[in-house]
Amino acid sequence: MTMTSLLTATKTAATDVITNRQRTFRDIIREPRSSVKFYDMGDGHWTFYSSIDVTRAVFDKYAYEWVYPRYTFNHPQTVRIAVRDHIFGEGNERAVRRVREITSDGCVVGPALVGKESLFVEDSNDSKSFHKTFCKVQQLSQRMAAKFNKILVGLPGVERSSTPLISFLDCYVLLLNGAFGSGRGILVEKMLDPTKYKKWNTNDGYVDGMSAAGRDEREFTEQDCSFSIDDIPQAFSHFTYIFSKRKYLVCDLQGVLSTESNEPLFELTDPVIHYSTMTDRGAYGRTDRGQQGIDDFFRSHKCSNLCHMLLRRWIPDPLDKQITHYENVPISEPIPSIASESEDEEELPKESKRVKTVRFVL
């Protein structure tokens, strides 16, 4: 098996864009994915940790602190974990290695996992703050995804069974051989299929799927808009900027489009948040490029029909059951209030027809 060092003569340090300090790359061995026998635990390149040496920590987005669940592992029969000594991938900030849960008789159980940790020596002294930043970014991105998905599936003509929603992986930290500071902490999440892994956009303005070639176009009725599957992640990034009142934008969308179940899903990881002002710069990590990152995204982003539909405000008539009409409403015109779901509907004569009016605010 051929191994290559991550360090080279010309790649020994990097400059932090926020603090302008030099950071030193760790000496990490990288192995090609194709040469790793993932389930071979006896090849001598795994480190095993028993349950007494592992503590699970989850960042609580509401209390804004670390909490420690009673359970440590995902599978009830797990008694230890195996962490691969060599990494199989890296990004701008983190190295990625394989992690598996093991039973008392040595069997691999549970889903395939990955463990992520910093590429830089300086972060090893404060892994708690390092991992907290990524947990916070991923959780905020997931909250925005929930809002986006709710609006997406409410658009006329959009069927959940054929429309992928946006989702970010849940993540947690495993503390190995003690708590933060006295041991090693790795951020763990589900492993995505590397053969299907894709980047839909990046944190430096690159946007994938702008050309029509190879795009999977959705088919809608003539009253609805048409858009492609690849338009969904791009529209999500645009949506986050508008929905946050232009405070920040979520991008660097990467992961896998899962179509194995009846409800397709974008399973994404490692998002980046660009915050528009300097007030909270650094709170979202070193990949936060601020307003410059936002400007770079919109320089290359071209709004699709889906963007236009999502970014319009539409008001459904609560009597809708059958037909959809569309009309443009000037922004100055008062919008009628919508009856809540708990309100009783007025009983209509049998010959009456329920009609839906979708009103767009320009």
Side-chain angles (χ1 to χ4, degrees), residues 41-104:
M41 295 297 168
D43 65 0
H45 296 297
W46 297 83
T47 300
F48 297 89
Y49 299 87
S50 65
S51 57
I52 61 174
D53 295 323
V54 181
T55 302
R56 185 185 186 114
V58 179
F59 185 71
D60 188 326
K61 60 188 175 184
Y62 300 109
Y64 208 74
E65 62 183 15
W66 293 100
V67 295
Y68 303 92
R70 294 182 178 179
Y71 64 95
T72 301
F73 304 118
N74 298 316
H75 196 278
Q77 296 180 3
T78 302
V79 298
R80 60 177 179 164
I81 61 167
V83 180
R84 188 70 176 171
D85 295 334
H86 310 305
I87 70 170
F88 70 90
E90 72 273 355
N92 292 330
E93 292 288 323
R94 296 186 290 179
V96 185
R97 61 182 81 242
R98 303 176 190 269
V99 177
R100 289 310 305 255
E101 295 187 355
I102 311 294
T103 63
S104 57

